[in-house]
Amino acid sequence: MTVIDALAGRLRAALGPDLVVTDRQELRTYECDGLAHYKVIPALVVLPQTTEQVAAVVRACVDCEIPFVARGSGTGLSGGALPHADGVLIVTAQMRRILAVAPADERAVVQPGVINLQVTRAAAPHGYYYAPDPSSQQICSIGGNVAENSGGAHCLKYGFTTNHVTGLEVVTPDGEVVRLGGGRALDPPGYDLLGAFVGSEGTLGVATEVTVRLTAVPESVRTLLAAFHGIDQAGAATSAIIAAGVVPAAVEMMDALAIEAAESAVACGYPPGAAAVLIVELDGPAAEVAAQFDEVTRLCGANGAFEIRIAADDAERQLFWKGRKSAFAAVGRISPDYIVQDGVIPRTALPEVLRRIDELAAANGVRVANVFHAGDGNLHPLVLFDDAIEGAAARAEVASAAILDLCIEYGGSITGEHGVGADKAKHMPRMFTDDDLDTMQLLRCAFDPGGLANPGKIFPTPRLCGERPGRRQAGDNRWPGVEVF
Amino acid sequence: MTVIDALAGRLRAALGPDLVVTDRQELRTYECDGLAHYKVIPALVVLPQTTEQVAAVVRACVDCEIPFVARGSGTGLSGGALPHADGVLIVTAQMRRILAVAPADERAVVQPGVINLQVTRAAAPHGYYYAPDPSSQQICSIGGNVAENSGGAHCLKYGFTTNHVTGLEVVTPDGEVVRLGGGRALDPPGYDLLGAFVGSEGTLGVATEVTVRLTAVPESVRTLLAAFHGIDQAGAATSAIIAAGVVPAAVEMMDALAIEAAESAVACGYPPGAAAVLIVELDGPAAEVAAQFDEVTRLCGANGAFEIRIAADDAERQLFWKGRKSAFAAVGRISPDYIVQDGVIPRTALPEVLRRIDELAAANGVRVANVFHAGDGNLHPLVLFDDAIEGAAARAEVASAAILDLCIEYGGSITGEHGVGADKAKHMPRMFTDDDLDTMQLLRCAFDPGGLANPGKIFPTPRLCGERPGRRQAGDNRWPGVEVF
């Protein structure tokens, strides 16, 4: 009997036979997440329904030295929920209860498998919603959002998942159940382990209960679409809006190629001849929105917008967003294959970086469509290629990686909201020094000395936790009397 | 020659003789921070001017196994900068340069000894300011704010220090220099070590450079003072304002005894006969503030305010705040001695907890003046006593500790903004389970296995980092092949 067979038996006894999947065909269902070109079939899948069951699974994995990976809805774009071939995949799809909605404390408490949009639906009768809005919000899970610190178009004003999670119940990598954060009250004392856990991509444990902040539904929402003849002008308008002290709910930008793709897919009717469009949305008290909306309109005009449309009603507002929201899928209409990149730059560097991306595209013989959260400086360049043409995929990869180098060169980051996962671990040394990475590994090894929690993600070269990183060498005991590890 | 003498020699060689203090009388200057009833004279004080000098001091301490404590301006109220009798105190007072002010990226970069208010002064010509505003903002340092995750009256709307620090250069407890956070761009990938560092009270290293967010100066500020015949009404008004979706810049409350003290000290002229006053301040675009201010005024009236004053100009606004800001010092006029407590409860529990505090005060024969950030649920009860009366101090201590128990009972916290430091380490087990505390210690031990960085703070029982906490016993090796520690 293999170790996996023994483990499967132990888990069936603990969870019941229906919650443990061992059939090869069924296992194949879980072979990838949203980054579908990475595929690994897990050795076992479990579908726990309670915190105690998750803890039992983790303890069994630790006893058998088997890696484990948690998965929500599997919509992530960095391969963070990519299974381990010799490991257990912990799927939270059966942990979908909303445990509390408490509008007077502006909080909800949910299980990790709850879908992002369900939180908003539960809070809506009280005049509240859950602010972070990944494009996948109709299907992605809160647990997955916690793991990847997910963003969305409206995170410019409202912040990322980490700004909306105020408490967690977590199963640590040794199977203990602990609580992090203040929940319904202000932050508790001690280290901000809650903050460190959000965005840790499954490497510090499995969240089993999540307390989230609820946000009051704004009295008013107003949206405009501004078209520009040059992308520099759209970038300058974005900087001018922020420098004026206005914080829109969203500032989204699309370039000519992205607009072309969106038009061909959903006929959104953006102004013809636009080299770039900005979608700017303001929300808040009606009086505030009215005052600031005038200012934003003025700044778009002053920075060269040749057409500004103001959504007259919710239907027109949805039409503005339709083009933006369909953009990723729409590029399939103009290119057989594409890579979605995710990088960040300081907002003020936008025009210059976009010019350099153009040069990179030309030099590598690929086309790049740019769709991005301009207010955040969070770029989503789509590198288009045709896999049927020999060498095209490789050139696209080169261009895509070069865009990340650009982001780093301008003081930005290799990911804004999709995470590092399996996909970008190799890029981490381009952004961080050895000392920086060693310092992160101190945290990982403290929580997971056995290296069983989602191994192979985030870090390019997993360190054996027995060795202490840094300048120290074996035998170089700088703390006599304390065991150096 | 003692170890300290040898260390002093090494530090004089590294920093120059003027930056190393060994004279007993001079050392006494540093014996306490703002929590003055804890006093410890350090063995040595250093006054480094550069990151390299801080790193040299830490490495020298590590080599000699000597503890080190960092100190900014020494205004903390939890004894977080209390020196170690056998250790080095690293004073950042000579690291006071503002390295950059970058309004287009909404950031400033400063050395840790820079005074909080100096950041605002440097940003003001650009229309920006630094939002976190501890009462001590005229003298407290940014480095100290980072260590304690300092708050202030306006943190209700703007968040605490952790929400305004976007990058750090840090000397780790083994003397390495690393960078945490994104600085001028969005958060980088990897663990949020920046978030974990802010508020770690000097136990994870010494910050040597701080990148902070700048906030646009609001177009309009409006302030009202509402007087109530009962403190329950003031609490209900606070909850009603928040539940209406308004987020004021500040909602401050004072009870009758605090008002009495403030009147006797600064004659602030609050409405006679008030059992409680609320100060509510709104800021933002003029149009927003005007709309919301009407709503707040209405809600105060609807919840029983018998007098509402609206500040006609900045002078009247300053007068409203004068009473509030002088409240701590003012209780000296009505009581020879007092303890400033700092606890947190969910906002909705305010009226009930205040009633229970009254009962506790009566039961222990002390008076309690309540001054607090009502919008946050952050209480600052002042427990008044006369040390000349035998047993009075002990009864005050009992009442003060019982207030913290109340906070925990209602799902709150033992500190809102003053930190744990030396003062509240003993209370941590009342709030956290052993598993919770062990999980925090994993982080501390990962960064500081020698236990030299500000030992004795935060944790009630420092753990030997050689032993792995939790249920595991020596010899209970659950990861064969991996050295268990």
Side-chain angles (χ1 to χ4, degrees):
Chain A
M1 191 166 72
T2 68
V3 176
I4 292 293
D5 291 338
L7 181 61
R10 178 167 163 182
L11 293 177
R12 276 193 207 96
L15 276 63
D18 293 349
L19 303 181
V20 181
V21 178
T22 53
D23 175 76
R24 188 78 180 165
Q25 279 312 311
E26 281 185 68
L27 290 175
R28 192 176 285 279
T29 318
Y30 300 98
E31 67 184 358
C32 67
D33 62 11
L35 192 73
H37 62 279
Y38 288 78
K39 288 185 179 23
V40 174
I41 300 174
L44 265 185
V45 170
V46 293
L47 297 148
Q49 296 173 326
T50 65
T51 298
E52 292 64 36
Q53 289 179 344
V54 174
V57 171
V58 170
R59 281 197 299 267
C61 287
V62 169
D63 287 347
C64 299
E65 294 175 71
I66 294 291
F68 57 90
V69 177
R71 173 187 163 112
S73 299
T75 55
L77 290 171
S78 61
L82 185 73
H84 192 289
D86 303 316
V88 174
L89 190 72
I90 303 174
V91 177
T92 59
Q94 301 213 15
M95 298 178 78
R96 289 220 171 143
R97 282 193 302 136
I98 291 177
L99 303 169
V101 176
D105 284 324
E106 301 186 302
R107 297 287 187 274
V109 184
V110 305
Q111 286 191 311
V114 166
I115 301 303
N116 176 300
L117 201 58
Q118 287 177 335
V119 182
T120 287
R121 291 209 178 106
H126 306 281
Y128 281 84
Y129 75 112
Y130 179 63
D133 59 340
S135 320
S136 54
Q137 68 181 134
Q138 299 193 17
I139 41 170
C140 65
S141 71
I142 293 291
N145 292 175
V146 168
E148 299 296 332
N149 186 22
S150 301
H154 292 80
C155 290
L156 169 60
K157 177 170 180 177
Y158 291 101
F160 286 68
T161 300
T162 193
N163 303 111
H164 295 268
V165 172
T166 64
L168 287 174
E169 180 189 74
V170 164
V171 175
T172 64
D174 61 1
E176 274 166 5
V177 179
V178 298
R179 291 199 162 263
L180 309 179
R184 294 197 194 184
L186 261 191
D187 287 349
Y191 303 122
D192 181 18
L193 292 177
L194 174 70
F197 190 94
V198 177
S200 63
E201 307 197 21
T203 61
L204 300 182
V206 182
T208 49
E209 188 189 295
V210 187
T211 304
V212 298
R213 190 187 303 284
L214 298 177
T215 303
V217 174
E219 184 190 356
S220 166
V221 180
R222 294 192 70 188
T223 311
L224 67 75
L225 185 136
F228 298 83
H229 286 308
I231 201 150
D232 280 19
Q233 297 171 320
T238 303
S239 286
I241 291 165
I242 302 289
V246 177
V247 183
V251 180
E252 300 286 305
M253 201 192 294
M254 294 167 68
D255 70 3
L257 197 53
I259 296 168
E260 178 194 331
E263 288 294 349
S264 84
V266 298
C268 43
Y270 287 174
V277 297
L278 276 187
I279 298 174
V280 186
E281 186 158 285
L282 297 179
D283 67 14
E288 167 189 3
V289 169
Q292 294 194 335
F293 201 73
D294 292 347
E295 175 75 355
V296 168
T297 308
R298 194 185 65 72
L299 288 170
C300 284
N303 283 280
F306 70 87
E307 184 172 338
I308 297 175
R309 295 181 188 170
I310 293 169
D313 51 28
D314 201 53
E316 190 171 5
R317 180 178 162 252
Q318 297 299 341
L319 195 64
F320 290 176
W321 278 105
K322 193 174 178 187
R324 166 64 185 86
K325 289 194 173 170
S326 69
F328 283 19
V331 295
R333 301 288 281 253
I334 60 166
S335 174
D337 302 285
Y338 63 95
I339 300 168
V340 180
Q341 192 45 282
D342 169 43
V344 184
I345 53 171
R347 188 164 39 224
T348 43
L350 254 176
E352 203 172 325
V353 169
L354 291 173
R355 259 196 308 282
R356 302 258 324 252
I357 289 178
D358 270 355
E359 293 166 16
L360 275 175
N364 288 283
V366 295
R367 291 189 302 165
V368 177
N370 285 294
V371 178
F372 46 95
H373 306 314
D376 285 328
N378 185 187
L379 312 178
H380 288 311
L382 298 146
V383 183
L384 315 187
F385 65 99
D386 181 352
D387 207 14
I389 299 173
E390 199 181 312
R395 287 203 310 276
E397 274 289 351
V398 167
S400 182
I403 290 173
L404 288 190
D405 282 334
L406 260 189
C407 291
I408 296 167
E409 184 186 331
Y410 282 84
S413 166
I414 58 171
T415 169
E417 55 185 9
H418 295 174
V420 178
D423 193 37
K424 290 190 171 170
K426 60 182 178 293
H427 296 307
M428 290 287 273
R430 294 152 81 179
M431 178 157 183
F432 294 104
T433 67
D434 286 350
D435 278 354
D436 292 338
L437 289 170
D438 282 347
T439 304
M440 290 185 208
Q441 297 255 23
L442 288 176
L443 180 61
R444 178 175 199 154
C445 289
F447 279 78
D448 183 25
L452 298 178
N454 210 7
K457 312 296 164 66
I458 304 182
F459 295 103
T461 45
R463 176 178 298 283
L464 267 184
C465 292
E467 47 175 328
R468 172 133 174 114
R471 287 189 303 265
R472 249 150 288 136
Q473 305 297 319
D476 172 18
N477 190 337
R478 288 157 72 180
W479 301 280
V482 176
E483 192 185 355
V484 171
F485 46 84
Chain B
M1 192 166 74
T2 68
V3 175
I4 291 293
D5 291 338
L7 180 61
R10 178 167 163 182
L11 294 176
R12 277 195 206 96
L15 277 63
D18 292 350
L19 304 181
V20 181
V21 177
T22 53
D23 176 77
R24 189 78 182 166
Q25 278 313 309
E26 281 185 69
L27 291 175
R28 189 177 286 278
T29 318
Y30 300 98
E31 68 183 358
C32 67
D33 61 11
L35 192 75
H37 62 279
Y38 289 77
K39 288 185 181 23
V40 175
I41 299 174
L44 266 186
V45 169
V46 292
L47 296 149
Q49 296 173 326
T50 66
T51 299
E52 293 63 38
Q53 289 180 344
V54 173
V57 171
V58 170
R59 282 198 298 268
C61 287
V62 170
D63 286 346
C64 300
E65 295 175 69
I66 294 291
F68 57 90
V69 177
R71 173 188 163 112
S73 300
T75 56
L77 289 171
S78 61
L82 185 72
H84 192 289
D86 304 315
V88 174
L89 189 72
I90 302 173
V91 177
T92 59
Q94 301 214 14
M95 298 179 77
R96 288 218 172 144
R97 281 194 302 138
I98 291 178
L99 303 169
V101 176
D105 284 324
E106 302 186 303
R107 297 288 185 274
V109 184
V110 305
Q111 288 192 309
V114 166
I115 301 304
N116 177 298
L117 201 58
Q118 287 177 334
V119 182
T120 287
R121 292 210 177 105
H126 307 281
Y128 281 84
Y129 73 112
Y130 179 63
D133 59 340
S135 321
S136 55
Q137 68 180 134
Q138 301 194 15
I139 41 169
C140 65
S141 71
I142 293 292
N145 292 174
V146 168
E148 299 295 331
N149 186 22
S150 302
H154 291 80
C155 290
L156 169 61
K157 176 170 181 178
Y158 291 101
F160 285 68
T161 300
T162 194
N163 303 111
H164 295 268
V165 172
T166 65
L168 285 175
E169 179 189 73
V170 165
V171 174
T172 64
D174 60 1
E176 274 165 5
V177 179
V178 299
R179 290 199 163 265
L180 309 178
R184 294 196 194 183
L186 261 191
D187 285 350
Y191 303 122
D192 182 18
L193 292 177
L194 175 70
F197 190 94
V198 177
S200 62
E201 308 197 19
T203 62
L204 300 182
V206 183
T208 49
E209 188 189 294
V210 187
T211 304
V212 298
R213 190 187 305 284
L214 298 177
T215 303
V217 174
E219 184 189 357
S220 166
V221 180
R222 293 191 71 187
T223 311
L224 67 75
L225 185 136
F228 299 83
H229 286 310
I231 201 150
D232 280 19
Q233 297 172 319
T238 303
S239 286
I241 291 166
I242 302 290
V246 178
V247 183
V251 180
E252 300 285 306
M253 201 190 296
M254 295 166 68
D255 71 1
L257 196 51
I259 296 167
E260 178 194 332
E263 289 293 350
S264 84
V266 299
C268 44
Y270 288 173
V277 296
L278 276 188
I279 299 174
V280 185
E281 187 159 283
L282 296 179
D283 67 16
E288 168 190 1
V289 169
Q292 294 194 336
F293 201 74
D294 291 348
E295 176 74 357
V296 167
T297 308
R298 194 185 64 73
L299 289 170
C300 285
N303 283 279
F306 70 86
E307 182 172 339
I308 297 175
R309 294 181 189 170
I310 294 169
D313 51 27
D314 202 54
E316 190 171 6
R317 180 178 162 251
Q318 297 299 341
L319 195 64
F320 290 178
W321 278 106
K322 193 174 178 187
R324 166 63 185 86
K325 290 194 173 171
S326 69
F328 282 21
V331 294
R333 304 285 283 251
I334 60 167
S335 173
D337 302 283
Y338 63 95
I339 299 167
V340 180
Q341 191 47 281
D342 169 43
V344 184
I345 52 170
R347 189 163 38 224
T348 42
L350 255 176
E352 202 171 326
V353 170
L354 290 173
R355 258 196 308 281
R356 302 255 326 250
I357 289 177
D358 269 356
E359 292 166 18
L360 275 175
N364 288 282
V366 294
R367 291 188 301 166
V368 176
N370 285 293
V371 177
F372 47 95
H373 307 314
D376 286 326
N378 184 188
L379 313 178
H380 288 310
L382 297 145
V383 183
L384 316 186
F385 65 99
D386 181 351
D387 206 16
I389 298 171
E390 199 181 312
R395 288 202 311 276
E397 274 292 351
V398 168
S400 182
I403 290 174
L404 287 189
D405 282 335
L406 260 189
C407 291
I408 296 167
E409 182 186 332
Y410 281 84
S413 166
I414 58 170
T415 168
E417 54 184 10
H418 296 173
V420 179
D423 192 38
K424 289 188 172 171
K426 60 182 177 293
H427 297 306
M428 290 286 274
R430 294 151 81 177
M431 178 156 183
F432 296 104
T433 67
D434 285 350
D435 279 353
D436 292 338
L437 289 171
D438 282 347
T439 304
M440 291 185 208
Q441 297 257 21
L442 289 176
L443 180 61
R444 177 175 201 155
C445 289
F447 278 77
D448 183 24
L452 298 179
N454 212 7
K457 312 296 164 65
I458 304 182
F459 295 102
T461 46
R463 175 177 298 284
L464 266 185
C465 292
E467 49 174 327
R468 172 135 173 113
R471 287 190 303 265
R472 250 151 286 137
Q473 304 298 318
D476 172 18
N477 190 338
R478 286 157 71 177
W479 300 279
V482 175
E483 191 184 358
V484 171
F485 46 85

